[in-house]
Amino acid sequence: MHNPSMAASQKLYAALFHVLLLSLFPLNAKSSARTQAEALLQWKSTLSFSPPPLSSWSRSNLNNLCKWTAVSCSSTSRTVSQINLRSLNITGTLAHFNFTPFTDLTRFDIQNNNVNGTIPSAIGSLSKLTHLDLSVNFFEGSIPVEISQLTELQYLSLYSNNLSGIIPFQLANLPKVRHLDLGANYLENPDWSNFSMPSLEYLSFSLNELTAEFPHFITNCRNLTFLDLSLNKFTGQIPELVFTNLGKLETLNLYNNSFQGNIPSSIGQLKHLEKLDLRNNALNSTIPPELGLCTNLTYLALAGNHLSGELPLSLSNLAKIADMGLSDNSLSGEISPTLISNWTKLISLQVQNNSFSGNIPPEIGKLTMLQYLFLYKNTFSGSIPPEIGNLKELLSLDLSENQLSGPLPRPLWNLTNLQTLNLFSNNINGKIPPEVGNLTMLQILDLNTNQLHGELPQTISNITSLTSINLFGNNLSGRIPSDFGKYMPSLEYARFSYNRLCGEGEGLSQCPTTDSSKSSKDNKKVLIGVIVPVCGLLVIATIFAVCYVSEKTNCLMKRPKLPRMVRVPSQ
Ligand SMILES: *[C@@H]1O[C@H](CO)[C@@H](O)[C@H](O)[C@H]1NC(C)=O
Ligand SMILES: *[C@@H]1O[C@H](CO)[C@@H](O)[C@H](O)[C@H]1NC(C)=O
Ligand SMILES: *[C@@H]1O[C@H](CO)[C@@H](O)[C@H](O)[C@H]1NC(C)=O
Ligand SMILES: *[C@@H]1O[C@H](CO)[C@@H](O)[C@H](O)[C@H]1NC(C)=O
Ligand SMILES: *[C@@H]1O[C@H](CO)[C@@H](O)[C@H](O)[C@H]1NC(C)=O
Ligand SMILES: *[C@@H]1O[C@H](CO)[C@@H](O)[C@H](O)[C@H]1NC(C)=O
Ligand SMILES: *[C@@H]1O[C@H](CO)[C@@H](O)[C@H](O)[C@H]1NC(C)=O
Ligand SMILES: *[C@@H]1O[C@H](CO)[C@@H](O)[C@H](O)[C@H]1NC(C)=O
Ligand SMILES: *[C@@H]1O[C@H](CO)[C@@H](O)[C@H](O)[C@H]1NC(C)=O
Ligand SMILES: *[C@@H]1O[C@H](CO)[C@@H](O)[C@H](O)[C@H]1NC(C)=O
Ligand SMILES: *[C@@H]1O[C@H](CO)[C@@H](O)[C@H](O)[C@H]1NC(C)=O
Ligand SMILES: *[C@@H]1O[C@H](CO)[C@@H](O)[C@H](O)[C@H]1NC(C)=O
């Protein structure tokens, strides 16, 4: 029942319609600009939140595409060359973004929005793209293989999304890429063996699910200045080629992996290194003296490994060092005056939980920019040098769990910015002077388990910012100020037991049970363990017994969370 004449007339109408359509858009460039505008409008209509700045994207403004917000045009073709939609709170997906008309697009940047769904494979049609930034969104699924068709790409960031699956090996085909950031996703290892990206200058795989050995291809990326493999599950040795080949490195972040073995002496070849972060691995060598050749280092983090041996004196050359973190290793020896005298830019020195010994050198007083000084859990001995009073910027001083003796030096009380003062578990003797009340910013004061004696100064009530005070296990006498607590609105923890302190009238009733101590004034405040010598022997014995019990049930104290330097994860 096929009618040939009808078919012919249909063809004619179709042809006529086509001619009509073409006549509507006389110029080819104009037509593609219009197609692009239509494509953007179509996409905008699918967004569940389209921000006010995109109001210029409208049908009534169709002819002014090149003046639309976030759009730039190439001056020759008058078509879209750049789309820059950073931080506009765009909420939606790219599923309905028609990429096909954007043949001249060189830059597509939607960093920091709420775009979810998958990365459409059609993005591979943007053949002139040099800059693709989809970072800080909610993209999920795997990285589309089609991204490897974008052979002009120089910058690719998919940082901080919810991407998973194996990194497509085809990405190795991006011959011009200089900046590659796949950090903060859930990506897994490809077979790295045929990867080759020698043009890379910036590479981050930080915070993914990567395992096995250090990807070998990286050691051929000789132009790298920034390398971040942190927060993965890499194992094995750090290849020596990293240190001999990557001589332009300024930042090397390998922290929180399972790298083993040594820090090779060839590290001294990284002359441009400013930031070296090898924290929380299983490195078990000594610190090579050649590290002292990296004189531009400002940040050195080797904490949480199995490093042993002494600190090489050559580290004294690190005159720009601002943050030195060596804690939680098995390092030993002394912190000598020569070693530290050049470190005048130091803001944070953390060597806690090692086996350092000897005196704390008076030269520490020259490091006048110090804000954090953590020497706890070592075997430092001798007395606290009075020069520590020069460190006017100090916010946190922790010398606890050492073998320090001698008195508290007077200049200590000049450190009026101090928020944390932990000196517990030493052999410090002498008195707590009234000047303690000058440390009005103090939040944590822990002098427990020392040999302090004399009266508890009443000025202690002046420290109104105190949240925690622990004087347990000294030989203090006198009375706990009657208004103690009243003027300390934030006080959450107080422990005075195992002294010879005497409480006020109400102090007595606080002792026997937890409940009554809580009921006084403010139930956040726990004043317990007041042993009262004025009472009869029997009373003392009773109270002692009860206090001992409440010690166990109520006064189990963890090391308070200390303010540390904020370490922003890379990027
Ligand atoms: C951002 O978008 C959400 C919708 O996803 C909307 O509820 C919110 O008001 C927007 N915030 C701003 C600052 O525009
Ligand atoms: C994107 O997020 C919105 C809001 O949470 C959700 O309703 C929608 O299903 C998500 N879309 C995709 C493709 O995951
Ligand atoms: C991201 O993915 C993880 C699992 O891969 C899932 O648990 C999580 O809910 C996702 N988050 C968002 C915001 O989609
Ligand atoms: C990379 O290796 C995989 C298998 O490991 C292979 O299928 C693929 O063809 C290789 N690609 C290139 C570009 O060599
Ligand atoms: C490395 O950088 C130099 C200088 O910028 C450049 O000439 C060279 O082509 C780069 N190497 C690669 C493989 O991109
Ligand atoms: C890094 O490792 C340390 C020690 O294992 C751990 O405490 C810390 O939470 C890890 N950091 C992150 C961001 O996972
Ligand atoms: C360091 O660890 C490696 C492997 O984990 C081991 O073979 C080596 O003997 C260790 N070296 C030292 C100095 O402990
Ligand atoms: C060290 O840093 C300074 C200042 O940032 C810079 O001018 C110099 O070139 C750097 N030296 C090396 C060897 O990178
Ligand atoms: C301090 O650093 C400078 C420059 O790096 C160096 O010449 C000098 O020897 C260092 N001083 C000490 C005591 O190591
Ligand atoms: C400490 O403060 C006192 C005044 O309280 C002052 O006399 C003394 O010079 C200061 N010491 C230092 C080292 O600044
Ligand atoms: C420090 O405290 C003492 C005793 O409480 C006081 O006499 C002195 O004026 C205070 N010094 C400063 C600088 O506040
Ligand atoms: C500090 O405490 C003492 C004794 O309790 C008191 O006389 C003095 O006025 C207080 N100083 C300040 C500044 O509060």
Side-chain angles (χ1 to χ4, degrees), residues 70 75 107 114 130 145 204 207 290 371 445 503 510 515 552:
S75 53
R107 185 182 177 105
N114 306 318
T130 59
V145 168
S204 174
L207 192 54
E290 290 79 3
Q371 295 179 6
L445 176 61
Q510 284 159 7
D515 285 347
K552 284 196 158 173

Side-chain angles (χ1 to χ4, degrees), residues 227-238:
L227 175 59
D228 192 348
L229 304 183
S230 63
L231 299 161
N232 279 291
K233 296 176 186 119
F234 286 114
T235 56
Q237 295 244 358
I238 306 169

Side-chain angles (χ1 to χ4, degrees), residues 253-415:
N253 288 341
L254 303 179
Y255 60 91
N256 284 54
N257 278 290
S258 300
F259 287 118
Q260 309 160 357
N262 66 340
I263 305 176
S265 57
S266 48
I267 196 160
Q269 297 185 31
L270 303 183
K271 294 273 190 293
H272 301 281
L273 211 54
E274 291 169 14
K275 219 178 150 230
L276 176 63
D277 196 338
L278 306 179
R279 264 178 304 156
N280 301 322
N281 279 290
L283 302 171
N284 65 353
S285 61
T286 54
I287 298 177
E290 290 79 3
L291 187 57
L293 296 169
C294 306
T295 50
N296 262 5
L297 272 180
T298 56
Y299 180 93
L300 174 63
L302 304 177
N305 281 289
H306 311 305
L307 300 170
S308 57
E310 303 195 358
L311 296 185
L313 268 189
S314 60
L315 295 189
S316 65
N317 291 325
L318 305 181
K320 294 185 178 178
I321 197 79
D323 191 329
M324 169 91 73
L326 306 176
S327 68
D328 307 287
N329 279 292
S330 305
L331 297 164
S332 57
E334 301 198 1
I335 306 282
S336 72
T338 332
L339 182 66
I340 65 172
S341 58
N342 251 352
W343 296 349
T344 54
K345 304 258 166 66
L346 210 52
I347 292 170
S348 173
L349 178 60
Q350 305 197 16
V351 303
Q352 69 271 21
N353 204 10
N354 277 291
S355 301
F356 289 112
S357 57
N359 292 347
I360 301 173
E363 286 74 9
I364 199 99
K366 292 180 181 163
L367 314 185
T368 54
M369 291 174 80
L370 270 182
Q371 295 179 6
Y372 302 90
L373 179 56
F374 295 164
L375 307 183
Y376 62 85
K377 278 196 171 183
N378 279 289
T379 50
F380 288 110
S381 55
S383 51
I384 302 173
E387 289 78 2
I388 215 149
N390 296 337
L391 305 179
K392 293 290 194 302
E393 306 291 327
L394 265 192
L395 299 174
S396 192
L397 176 62
D398 196 332
L399 310 179
S400 53
E401 298 178 84
N402 277 294
Q403 293 163 13
L404 298 167
S405 54
L408 296 164
R410 286 255 147 185
L412 185 62
W413 313 113
N414 286 31
L415 300 178

Side-chain angles (χ1 to χ4, degrees), residues 169-170 172-173 191 193-194:
F169 68 83
Q170 292 90 340
N173 294 348
D191 175 359
S193 61
N194 58 12

Side-chain angles (χ1 to χ4, degrees), residues 48-49 52 89 91 114:
S48 50
F49 180 80
N89 194 24
T91 305
N114 306 318

